[in-house]
Amino acid sequence: MQERTIEIADVNPVGIFGVNNAKLKHIKSFFPTLKIVSRGNIVTLMGDPESMDEFERKLELLIRHLKTNNTLSENNIDNLMLADGQDMLVVDDGS
């Protein structure tokens, strides 16, 4: 079991993890093999490297979505976690 620390920058961690970590609890349900702890803007992961890599990739998608749309709902989390997520972040400029 390895440990990794991630610093959340550029966004308010409450926007991603929710009040009282409500959204984080939902995110954790997608990563049952990881232990995920959030303190302020620091996230500590414990588990296997492949799961941690996947968590980091998905966390980056959540951050990008929050920056783009200024909101992140549980439905957005579901869609970004279950789908590839990259397709959802493509902005349609109308052309």
Side-chain angles (χ1 to χ4, degrees):
M1 182 181 271
Q2 294 183 354
E3 184 172 316
R4 190 178 300 174
T5 303
I6 304 168
E7 182 176 359
I8 306 292
D10 301 331
V11 296
N12 185 347
V14 174
I16 295 175
F17 300 134
V19 177
N20 295 324
N21 286 332
K23 292 178 188 174
L24 179 60
K25 290 173 186 169
H26 187 63
I27 293 168
K28 284 180 179 182
S29 70
F30 292 97
F31 299 94
T33 61
L34 285 180
K35 180 173 180 183
I36 305 167
V37 179
S38 150
R39 296 281 184 258
N41 66 334
I42 302 294
V43 178
T44 304
L45 306 174
M46 288 172 263
D48 64 283
E50 294 83 19
S51 295
M52 289 190 286
D53 291 344
E54 180 68 11
F55 178 85
E56 282 192 78
R57 190 175 78 77
K58 295 295 187 172
L59 182 62
E60 179 59 33
L61 291 175
L62 295 173
I63 291 170
R64 286 177 43 201
H65 185 276
L66 183 60
K67 282 182 181 178
T68 304
N69 300 301
N70 295 320
T71 186
L72 184 66
S73 68
E74 283 194 12
N75 190 32
N76 298 138
I77 293 169
D78 289 341
N79 290 333
L80 288 167
M81 291 292 171
L82 297 175
D84 179 25
Q86 287 294 113
D87 299 333
M88 287 187 58
L89 296 175
V90 175
V91 177
D92 183 8
D93 61 1
S95 59

mmCIF file of all heavy atoms in Angstrom, residues 34-80:
data_model
loop_
_atom_site.group_PDB
_atom_site.id
_atom_site.type_symbol
_atom_site.label_atom_id
_atom_site.label_comp_id
_atom_site.label_asym_id
_atom_site.label_seq_id
_atom_site.Cartn_x
_atom_site.Cartn_y
_atom_site.Cartn_z
ATOM 1 N N LEU A 34 -9.430 2.583 -2.301
ATOM 2 C CA LEU A 34 -8.580 3.672 -1.820
ATOM 3 C C LEU A 34 -9.071 4.209 -0.492
ATOM 4 O O LEU A 34 -10.273 4.287 -0.249
ATOM 5 C CB LEU A 34 -8.571 4.839 -2.812
ATOM 6 C CG LEU A 34 -7.783 4.697 -4.099
ATOM 7 C CD1 LEU A 34 -7.907 5.975 -4.926
ATOM 8 C CD2 LEU A 34 -6.338 4.379 -3.837
ATOM 9 N N LYS A 35 -8.127 4.615 0.333
ATOM 10 C CA LYS A 35 -8.467 5.406 1.509
ATOM 11 C C LYS A 35 -8.171 6.848 1.114
ATOM 12 O O LYS A 35 -7.050 7.179 0.727
ATOM 13 C CB LYS A 35 -7.637 4.993 2.716
ATOM 14 C CG LYS A 35 -7.990 5.814 3.934
ATOM 15 C CD LYS A 35 -7.319 5.337 5.183
ATOM 16 C CE LYS A 35 -7.779 6.253 6.316
ATOM 17 N NZ LYS A 35 -7.133 5.930 7.566
ATOM 18 N N ILE A 36 -9.183 7.704 1.186
ATOM 19 C CA ILE A 36 -9.077 9.093 0.747
ATOM 20 C C ILE A 36 -9.395 9.995 1.929
ATOM 21 O O ILE A 36 -10.468 9.889 2.517
ATOM 22 C CB ILE A 36 -10.045 9.379 -0.418
ATOM 23 C CG1 ILE A 36 -9.813 8.398 -1.567
ATOM 24 C CG2 ILE A 36 -9.914 10.824 -0.887
ATOM 25 C CD1 ILE A 36 -10.900 8.382 -2.615
ATOM 26 N N VAL A 37 -8.436 10.873 2.271
ATOM 27 C CA VAL A 37 -8.608 11.788 3.392
ATOM 28 C C VAL A 37 -8.368 13.202 2.887
ATOM 29 O O VAL A 37 -7.373 13.463 2.203
ATOM 30 C CB VAL A 37 -7.623 11.463 4.538
ATOM 31 C CG1 VAL A 37 -7.785 12.433 5.685
ATOM 32 C CG2 VAL A 37 -7.806 10.035 5.018
ATOM 33 N N SER A 38 -9.262 14.109 3.231
ATOM 34 C CA SER A 38 -9.145 15.505 2.810
ATOM 35 C C SER A 38 -8.997 16.395 4.041
ATOM 36 O O SER A 38 -9.786 16.307 4.978
ATOM 37 C CB SER A 38 -10.392 15.869 2.011
ATOM 38 O OG SER A 38 -10.722 17.209 2.134
ATOM 39 N N ARG A 39 -7.971 17.248 4.025
ATOM 40 C CA ARG A 39 -7.753 18.251 5.067
ATOM 41 C C ARG A 39 -7.424 19.569 4.373
ATOM 42 O O ARG A 39 -6.357 19.706 3.786
ATOM 43 C CB ARG A 39 -6.583 17.874 5.985
ATOM 44 C CG ARG A 39 -6.787 16.622 6.780
ATOM 45 C CD ARG A 39 -7.687 16.898 7.983
ATOM 46 N NE ARG A 39 -7.824 15.718 8.816
ATOM 47 C CZ ARG A 39 -8.885 14.930 8.823
ATOM 48 N NH1 ARG A 39 -9.898 15.200 8.047
ATOM 49 N NH2 ARG A 39 -8.942 13.886 9.609
ATOM 50 N N GLY A 40 -8.371 20.494 4.415
ATOM 51 C CA GLY A 40 -8.154 21.776 3.734
ATOM 52 C C GLY A 40 -8.030 21.536 2.243
ATOM 53 O O GLY A 40 -8.901 20.937 1.624
ATOM 54 N N ASN A 41 -6.924 21.996 1.665
ATOM 55 C CA ASN A 41 -6.719 21.803 0.230
ATOM 56 C C ASN A 41 -5.761 20.638 -0.065
ATOM 57 O O ASN A 41 -5.267 20.507 -1.172
ATOM 58 C CB ASN A 41 -6.218 23.087 -0.421
ATOM 59 C CG ASN A 41 -4.839 23.487 0.052
ATOM 60 O OD1 ASN A 41 -4.417 23.136 1.161
ATOM 61 N ND2 ASN A 41 -4.128 24.222 -0.765
ATOM 62 N N ILE A 42 -5.523 19.784 0.911
ATOM 63 C CA ILE A 42 -4.647 18.620 0.749
ATOM 64 C C ILE A 42 -5.483 17.341 0.787
ATOM 65 O O ILE A 42 -6.295 17.142 1.679
ATOM 66 C CB ILE A 42 -3.581 18.556 1.866
ATOM 67 C CG1 ILE A 42 -2.737 19.829 1.897
ATOM 68 C CG2 ILE A 42 -2.700 17.326 1.705
ATOM 69 C CD1 ILE A 42 -1.866 20.043 0.673
ATOM 70 N N VAL A 43 -5.261 16.484 -0.204
ATOM 71 C CA VAL A 43 -5.917 15.181 -0.260
ATOM 72 C C VAL A 43 -4.835 14.118 -0.136
ATOM 73 O O VAL A 43 -3.835 14.165 -0.858
ATOM 74 C CB VAL A 43 -6.681 14.986 -1.589
ATOM 75 C CG1 VAL A 43 -7.326 13.619 -1.655
ATOM 76 C CG2 VAL A 43 -7.708 16.073 -1.781
ATOM 77 N N THR A 44 -5.020 13.192 0.776
ATOM 78 C CA THR A 44 -4.080 12.092 0.955
ATOM 79 C C THR A 44 -4.757 10.810 0.501
ATOM 80 O O THR A 44 -5.887 10.514 0.897
ATOM 81 C CB THR A 44 -3.656 11.969 2.432
ATOM 82 O OG1 THR A 44 -3.115 13.215 2.849
ATOM 83 C CG2 THR A 44 -2.614 10.880 2.609
ATOM 84 N N LEU A 45 -4.042 10.075 -0.346
ATOM 85 C CA LEU A 45 -4.535 8.809 -0.878
ATOM 86 C C LEU A 45 -3.671 7.679 -0.350
ATOM 87 O O LEU A 45 -2.457 7.814 -0.263
ATOM 88 C CB LEU A 45 -4.451 8.786 -2.409
ATOM 89 C CG LEU A 45 -5.106 9.916 -3.183
ATOM 90 C CD1 LEU A 45 -4.785 9.787 -4.660
ATOM 91 C CD2 LEU A 45 -6.593 9.914 -2.952
ATOM 92 N N MET A 46 -4.302 6.562 -0.032
ATOM 93 C CA MET A 46 -3.577 5.355 0.342
ATOM 94 C C MET A 46 -4.202 4.188 -0.404
ATOM 95 O O MET A 46 -5.423 4.004 -0.366
ATOM 96 C CB MET A 46 -3.641 5.129 1.844
ATOM 97 C CG MET A 46 -2.791 6.114 2.617
ATOM 98 S SD MET A 46 -3.041 5.987 4.370
ATOM 99 C CE MET A 46 -4.236 7.305 4.593
ATOM 100 N N GLY A 47 -3.349 3.436 -1.108
ATOM 101 C CA GLY A 47 -3.848 2.302 -1.870
ATOM 102 C C GLY A 47 -2.864 1.891 -2.936
ATOM 103 O O GLY A 47 -1.672 2.220 -2.875
ATOM 104 N N ASP A 48 -3.366 1.213 -3.960
ATOM 105 C CA ASP A 48 -2.486 0.757 -5.033
ATOM 106 C C ASP A 48 -2.270 1.890 -6.044
ATOM 107 O O ASP A 48 -3.137 2.745 -6.228
ATOM 108 C CB ASP A 48 -3.066 -0.484 -5.715
ATOM 109 C CG ASP A 48 -4.373 -0.205 -6.409
ATOM 110 O OD1 ASP A 48 -5.401 -0.114 -5.710
ATOM 111 O OD2 ASP A 48 -4.357 -0.080 -7.644
ATOM 112 N N PRO A 49 -1.098 1.902 -6.686
ATOM 113 C CA PRO A 49 -0.753 2.991 -7.607
ATOM 114 C C PRO A 49 -1.732 3.191 -8.759
ATOM 115 O O PRO A 49 -2.004 4.316 -9.149
ATOM 116 C CB PRO A 49 0.629 2.593 -8.137
ATOM 117 C CG PRO A 49 1.184 1.680 -7.110
ATOM 118 C CD PRO A 49 0.008 0.961 -6.516
ATOM 119 N N GLU A 50 -2.284 2.095 -9.297
ATOM 120 C CA GLU A 50 -3.207 2.227 -10.436
ATOM 121 C C GLU A 50 -4.480 2.967 -10.026
ATOM 122 O O GLU A 50 -4.960 3.833 -10.761
ATOM 123 C CB GLU A 50 -3.563 0.851 -11.008
ATOM 124 C CG GLU A 50 -2.405 0.116 -11.640
ATOM 125 C CD GLU A 50 -1.552 -0.630 -10.610
ATOM 126 O OE1 GLU A 50 -2.028 -0.888 -9.481
ATOM 127 O OE2 GLU A 50 -0.393 -0.934 -10.926
ATOM 128 N N SER A 51 -5.007 2.640 -8.852
ATOM 129 C CA SER A 51 -6.215 3.321 -8.372
ATOM 130 C C SER A 51 -5.929 4.785 -8.066
ATOM 131 O O SER A 51 -6.760 5.652 -8.328
ATOM 132 C CB SER A 51 -6.757 2.625 -7.119
ATOM 133 O OG SER A 51 -7.185 1.334 -7.423
ATOM 134 N N MET A 52 -4.761 5.055 -7.511
ATOM 135 C CA MET A 52 -4.406 6.447 -7.215
ATOM 136 C C MET A 52 -4.251 7.253 -8.498
ATOM 137 O O MET A 52 -4.690 8.405 -8.562
ATOM 138 C CB MET A 52 -3.122 6.506 -6.374
ATOM 139 C CG MET A 52 -3.327 6.024 -4.949
ATOM 140 S SD MET A 52 -1.944 6.349 -3.849
ATOM 141 C CE MET A 52 -0.757 5.140 -4.389
ATOM 142 N N ASP A 53 -3.650 6.655 -9.530
ATOM 143 C CA ASP A 53 -3.517 7.337 -10.821
ATOM 144 C C ASP A 53 -4.894 7.663 -11.404
ATOM 145 O O ASP A 53 -5.127 8.760 -11.909
ATOM 146 C CB ASP A 53 -2.734 6.477 -11.816
ATOM 147 C CG ASP A 53 -1.263 6.344 -11.451
ATOM 148 O OD1 ASP A 53 -0.758 7.142 -10.623
ATOM 149 O OD2 ASP A 53 -0.613 5.421 -11.984
ATOM 150 N N GLU A 54 -5.809 6.691 -11.340
ATOM 151 C CA GLU A 54 -7.167 6.902 -11.857
ATOM 152 C C GLU A 54 -7.885 7.990 -11.056
ATOM 153 O O GLU A 54 -8.573 8.833 -11.620
ATOM 154 C CB GLU A 54 -7.956 5.592 -11.818
ATOM 155 C CG GLU A 54 -9.367 5.706 -12.341
ATOM 156 C CD GLU A 54 -9.447 5.983 -13.830
ATOM 157 O OE1 GLU A 54 -8.431 5.900 -14.549
ATOM 158 O OE2 GLU A 54 -10.554 6.304 -14.296
ATOM 159 N N PHE A 55 -7.719 7.980 -9.727
ATOM 160 C CA PHE A 55 -8.331 9.014 -8.895
ATOM 161 C C PHE A 55 -7.803 10.391 -9.285
ATOM 162 O O PHE A 55 -8.581 11.338 -9.421
ATOM 163 C CB PHE A 55 -8.060 8.758 -7.410
ATOM 164 C CG PHE A 55 -8.626 9.831 -6.525
ATOM 165 C CD1 PHE A 55 -9.950 9.770 -6.107
ATOM 166 C CD2 PHE A 55 -7.860 10.916 -6.129
ATOM 167 C CE1 PHE A 55 -10.494 10.769 -5.306
ATOM 168 C CE2 PHE A 55 -8.391 11.921 -5.328
ATOM 169 C CZ PHE A 55 -9.708 11.846 -4.921
ATOM 170 N N GLU A 56 -6.499 10.511 -9.469
ATOM 171 C CA GLU A 56 -5.917 11.809 -9.850
ATOM 172 C C GLU A 56 -6.455 12.286 -11.190
ATOM 173 O O GLU A 56 -6.754 13.464 -11.365
ATOM 174 C CB GLU A 56 -4.390 11.722 -9.902
ATOM 175 C CG GLU A 56 -3.746 11.772 -8.550
ATOM 176 C CD GLU A 56 -2.251 11.989 -8.632
ATOM 177 O OE1 GLU A 56 -1.836 13.152 -8.858
ATOM 178 O OE2 GLU A 56 -1.515 11.001 -8.480
ATOM 179 N N ARG A 57 -6.592 11.374 -12.140
ATOM 180 C CA ARG A 57 -7.115 11.735 -13.465
ATOM 181 C C ARG A 57 -8.557 12.228 -13.351
ATOM 182 O O ARG A 57 -8.926 13.255 -13.923
ATOM 183 C CB ARG A 57 -7.033 10.527 -14.398
ATOM 184 C CG ARG A 57 -7.319 10.833 -15.852
ATOM 185 C CD ARG A 57 -7.092 9.621 -16.734
ATOM 186 N NE ARG A 57 -8.182 8.671 -16.676
ATOM 187 C CZ ARG A 57 -9.353 8.827 -17.298
ATOM 188 N NH1 ARG A 57 -9.581 9.907 -18.009
ATOM 189 N NH2 ARG A 57 -10.297 7.915 -17.196
ATOM 190 N N LYS A 58 -9.363 11.524 -12.574
ATOM 191 C CA LYS A 58 -10.760 11.919 -12.395
ATOM 192 C C LYS A 58 -10.868 13.215 -11.583
ATOM 193 O O LYS A 58 -11.723 14.056 -11.871
ATOM 194 C CB LYS A 58 -11.558 10.805 -11.705
ATOM 195 C CG LYS A 58 -11.683 9.546 -12.532
ATOM 196 C CD LYS A 58 -12.483 9.769 -13.798
ATOM 197 C CE LYS A 58 -12.727 8.461 -14.518
ATOM 198 N NZ LYS A 58 -13.650 8.601 -15.638
ATOM 199 N N LEU A 59 -10.009 13.390 -10.601
ATOM 200 C CA LEU A 59 -10.019 14.625 -9.814
ATOM 201 C C LEU A 59 -9.704 15.819 -10.711
ATOM 202 O O LEU A 59 -10.329 16.877 -10.592
ATOM 203 C CB LEU A 59 -9.022 14.539 -8.662
ATOM 204 C CG LEU A 59 -8.963 15.748 -7.742
ATOM 205 C CD1 LEU A 59 -10.301 15.989 -7.047
ATOM 206 C CD2 LEU A 59 -7.847 15.581 -6.711
ATOM 207 N N GLU A 60 -8.773 15.653 -11.624
ATOM 208 C CA GLU A 60 -8.449 16.724 -12.569
ATOM 209 C C GLU A 60 -9.664 17.065 -13.433
ATOM 210 O O GLU A 60 -9.948 18.229 -13.699
ATOM 211 C CB GLU A 60 -7.261 16.325 -13.447
ATOM 212 C CG GLU A 60 -6.879 17.372 -14.464
ATOM 213 C CD GLU A 60 -6.492 18.721 -13.864
ATOM 214 O OE1 GLU A 60 -5.914 18.759 -12.761
ATOM 215 O OE2 GLU A 60 -6.780 19.762 -14.509
ATOM 216 N N LEU A 61 -10.430 16.060 -13.858
ATOM 217 C CA LEU A 61 -11.652 16.310 -14.632
ATOM 218 C C LEU A 61 -12.669 17.089 -13.798
ATOM 219 O O LEU A 61 -13.321 18.009 -14.305
ATOM 220 C CB LEU A 61 -12.268 14.999 -15.112
ATOM 221 C CG LEU A 61 -11.501 14.217 -16.167
ATOM 222 C CD1 LEU A 61 -12.181 12.881 -16.435
ATOM 223 C CD2 LEU A 61 -11.358 15.011 -17.449
ATOM 224 N N LEU A 62 -12.808 16.714 -12.526
ATOM 225 C CA LEU A 62 -13.741 17.423 -11.647
ATOM 226 C C LEU A 62 -13.318 18.884 -11.473
ATOM 227 O O LEU A 62 -14.160 19.786 -11.512
ATOM 228 C CB LEU A 62 -13.809 16.735 -10.279
ATOM 229 C CG LEU A 62 -14.387 15.324 -10.255
ATOM 230 C CD1 LEU A 62 -14.230 14.715 -8.867
ATOM 231 C CD2 LEU A 62 -15.828 15.309 -10.690
ATOM 232 N N ILE A 63 -12.031 19.111 -11.293
ATOM 233 C CA ILE A 63 -11.526 20.480 -11.136
ATOM 234 C C ILE A 63 -11.766 21.280 -12.409
ATOM 235 O O ILE A 63 -12.221 22.431 -12.354
ATOM 236 C CB ILE A 63 -10.031 20.464 -10.746
ATOM 237 C CG1 ILE A 63 -9.865 19.919 -9.325
ATOM 238 C CG2 ILE A 63 -9.419 21.857 -10.872
ATOM 239 C CD1 ILE A 63 -8.428 19.627 -8.926
ATOM 240 N N ARG A 64 -11.487 20.691 -13.568
ATOM 241 C CA ARG A 64 -11.710 21.399 -14.831
ATOM 242 C C ARG A 64 -13.192 21.723 -15.023
ATOM 243 O O ARG A 64 -13.539 22.816 -15.481
ATOM 244 C CB ARG A 64 -11.183 20.580 -16.001
ATOM 245 C CG ARG A 64 -9.661 20.601 -16.070
ATOM 246 C CD ARG A 64 -9.065 19.763 -17.165
ATOM 247 N NE ARG A 64 -9.743 19.862 -18.436
ATOM 248 C CZ ARG A 64 -9.645 18.936 -19.375
ATOM 249 N NH1 ARG A 64 -8.930 17.851 -19.189
ATOM 250 N NH2 ARG A 64 -10.283 19.083 -20.519
ATOM 251 N N HIS A 65 -14.054 20.782 -14.666
ATOM 252 C CA HIS A 65 -15.495 21.033 -14.781
ATOM 253 C C HIS A 65 -15.920 22.171 -13.853
ATOM 254 O O HIS A 65 -16.686 23.051 -14.251
ATOM 255 C CB HIS A 65 -16.282 19.759 -14.454
ATOM 256 C CG HIS A 65 -17.750 19.904 -14.664
ATOM 257 N ND1 HIS A 65 -18.583 20.447 -13.723
ATOM 258 C CD2 HIS A 65 -18.527 19.605 -15.733
ATOM 259 C CE1 HIS A 65 -19.810 20.468 -14.192
ATOM 260 N NE2 HIS A 65 -19.806 19.959 -15.401
ATOM 261 N N LEU A 66 -15.419 22.162 -12.628
ATOM 262 C CA LEU A 66 -15.764 23.210 -11.673
ATOM 263 C C LEU A 66 -15.278 24.570 -12.155
ATOM 264 O O LEU A 66 -15.994 25.565 -12.055
ATOM 265 C CB LEU A 66 -15.178 22.883 -10.296
ATOM 266 C CG LEU A 66 -15.522 23.850 -9.171
ATOM 267 C CD1 LEU A 66 -17.021 23.921 -8.938
ATOM 268 C CD2 LEU A 66 -14.801 23.449 -7.900
ATOM 269 N N LYS A 67 -14.077 24.631 -12.697
ATOM 270 C CA LYS A 67 -13.544 25.898 -13.220
ATOM 271 C C LYS A 67 -14.381 26.411 -14.391
ATOM 272 O O LYS A 67 -14.646 27.605 -14.493
ATOM 273 C CB LYS A 67 -12.101 25.715 -13.698
ATOM 274 C CG LYS A 67 -11.081 25.678 -12.617
ATOM 275 C CD LYS A 67 -9.716 25.541 -13.262
ATOM 276 C CE LYS A 67 -8.608 25.471 -12.280
ATOM 277 N NZ LYS A 67 -7.300 25.293 -12.953
ATOM 278 N N THR A 68 -14.796 25.505 -15.258
ATOM 279 C CA THR A 68 -15.552 25.892 -16.455
ATOM 280 C C THR A 68 -16.973 26.311 -16.129
ATOM 281 O O THR A 68 -17.473 27.298 -16.660
ATOM 282 C CB THR A 68 -15.584 24.714 -17.456
ATOM 283 O OG1 THR A 68 -14.249 24.329 -17.753
ATOM 284 C CG2 THR A 68 -16.302 25.112 -18.730
ATOM 285 N N ASN A 69 -17.649 25.566 -15.248
ATOM 286 C CA ASN A 69 -19.075 25.767 -15.007
ATOM 287 C C ASN A 69 -19.411 26.406 -13.671
ATOM 288 O O ASN A 69 -20.580 26.681 -13.398
ATOM 289 C CB ASN A 69 -19.799 24.423 -15.111
ATOM 290 C CG ASN A 69 -19.626 23.811 -16.479
ATOM 291 O OD1 ASN A 69 -19.994 24.400 -17.471
ATOM 292 N ND2 ASN A 69 -19.019 22.642 -16.525
ATOM 293 N N ASN A 70 -18.420 26.596 -12.813
ATOM 294 C CA ASN A 70 -18.607 27.191 -11.485
ATOM 295 C C ASN A 70 -19.566 26.414 -10.602
ATOM 296 O O ASN A 70 -20.092 26.947 -9.637
ATOM 297 C CB ASN A 70 -19.060 28.651 -11.582
ATOM 298 C CG ASN A 70 -18.004 29.515 -12.208
ATOM 299 O OD1 ASN A 70 -16.818 29.352 -11.934
ATOM 300 N ND2 ASN A 70 -18.414 30.419 -13.074
ATOM 301 N N THR A 71 -19.830 25.162 -10.949
ATOM 302 C CA THR A 71 -20.690 24.310 -10.131
ATOM 303 C C THR A 71 -20.327 22.852 -10.382
ATOM 304 O O THR A 71 -19.817 22.513 -11.455
ATOM 305 C CB THR A 71 -22.184 24.546 -10.423
ATOM 306 O OG1 THR A 71 -22.956 23.801 -9.502
ATOM 307 C CG2 THR A 71 -22.552 24.184 -11.836
ATOM 308 N N LEU A 72 -20.600 22.033 -9.393
ATOM 309 C CA LEU A 72 -20.342 20.603 -9.530
ATOM 310 C C LEU A 72 -21.406 19.859 -8.725
ATOM 311 O O LEU A 72 -21.424 19.923 -7.496
ATOM 312 C CB LEU A 72 -18.943 20.253 -9.012
ATOM 313 C CG LEU A 72 -18.484 18.811 -9.170
ATOM 314 C CD1 LEU A 72 -18.331 18.450 -10.643
ATOM 315 C CD2 LEU A 72 -17.171 18.594 -8.442
ATOM 316 N N SER A 73 -22.310 19.199 -9.419
ATOM 317 C CA SER A 73 -23.384 18.467 -8.747
ATOM 318 C C SER A 73 -23.028 16.983 -8.660
ATOM 319 O O SER A 73 -22.077 16.520 -9.302
ATOM 320 C CB SER A 73 -24.691 18.632 -9.522
ATOM 321 O OG SER A 73 -24.604 17.960 -10.767
ATOM 322 N N GLU A 74 -23.820 16.236 -7.897
ATOM 323 C CA GLU A 74 -23.592 14.796 -7.819
ATOM 324 C C GLU A 74 -23.813 14.148 -9.178
ATOM 325 O O GLU A 74 -23.139 13.181 -9.524
ATOM 326 C CB GLU A 74 -24.482 14.157 -6.756
ATOM 327 C CG GLU A 74 -23.976 14.392 -5.355
ATOM 328 C CD GLU A 74 -24.631 13.498 -4.326
ATOM 329 O OE1 GLU A 74 -25.325 12.524 -4.700
ATOM 330 O OE2 GLU A 74 -24.444 13.771 -3.137
ATOM 331 N N ASN A 75 -24.738 14.677 -9.951
ATOM 332 C CA ASN A 75 -24.969 14.164 -11.300
ATOM 333 C C ASN A 75 -23.739 14.389 -12.181
ATOM 334 O O ASN A 75 -23.353 13.501 -12.948
ATOM 335 C CB ASN A 75 -26.200 14.832 -11.913
ATOM 336 C CG ASN A 75 -26.619 14.166 -13.198
ATOM 337 O OD1 ASN A 75 -26.446 12.971 -13.364
ATOM 338 N ND2 ASN A 75 -27.163 14.951 -14.111
ATOM 339 N N ASN A 76 -23.113 15.576 -12.061
ATOM 340 C CA ASN A 76 -21.876 15.837 -12.800
ATOM 341 C C ASN A 76 -20.787 14.856 -12.387
ATOM 342 O O ASN A 76 -20.054 14.336 -13.229
ATOM 343 C CB ASN A 76 -21.368 17.257 -12.546
ATOM 344 C CG ASN A 76 -22.297 18.349 -13.000
ATOM 345 O OD1 ASN A 76 -22.472 19.338 -12.300
ATOM 346 N ND2 ASN A 76 -22.912 18.199 -14.164
ATOM 347 N N ILE A 77 -20.692 14.609 -11.089
ATOM 348 C CA ILE A 77 -19.688 13.667 -10.582
ATOM 349 C C ILE A 77 -19.931 12.283 -11.174
ATOM 350 O O ILE A 77 -18.991 11.638 -11.664
ATOM 351 C CB ILE A 77 -19.703 13.626 -9.041
ATOM 352 C CG1 ILE A 77 -19.222 14.968 -8.477
ATOM 353 C CG2 ILE A 77 -18.830 12.479 -8.521
ATOM 354 C CD1 ILE A 77 -19.430 15.133 -6.986
ATOM 355 N N ASP A 78 -21.194 11.827 -11.141
ATOM 356 C CA ASP A 78 -21.524 10.522 -11.721
ATOM 357 C C ASP A 78 -21.092 10.445 -13.178
ATOM 358 O O ASP A 78 -20.454 9.473 -13.595
ATOM 359 C CB ASP A 78 -23.027 10.251 -11.648
ATOM 360 C CG ASP A 78 -23.512 9.976 -10.240
ATOM 361 O OD1 ASP A 78 -22.680 9.638 -9.373
ATOM 362 O OD2 ASP A 78 -24.732 10.111 -10.005
ATOM 363 N N ASN A 79 -21.444 11.456 -13.946
ATOM 364 C CA ASN A 79 -21.130 11.451 -15.376
ATOM 365 C C ASN A 79 -19.628 11.466 -15.632
ATOM 366 O O ASN A 79 -19.138 10.763 -16.513
ATOM 367 C CB ASN A 79 -21.793 12.636 -16.079
ATOM 368 C CG ASN A 79 -23.290 12.483 -16.163
ATOM 369 O OD1 ASN A 79 -23.816 11.380 -16.169
ATOM 370 N ND2 ASN A 79 -23.989 13.606 -16.203
ATOM 371 N N LEU A 80 -18.897 12.258 -14.878
ATOM 372 C CA LEU A 80 -17.452 12.338 -15.076
ATOM 373 C C LEU A 80 -16.746 11.069 -14.603
ATOM 374 O O LEU A 80 -15.736 10.675 -15.175
ATOM 375 C CB LEU A 80 -16.880 13.550 -14.339
ATOM 376 C CG LEU A 80 -17.228 14.898 -14.959
ATOM 377 C CD1 LEU A 80 -16.907 16.032 -13.999
ATOM 378 C CD2 LEU A 80 -16.489 15.101 -16.271
#
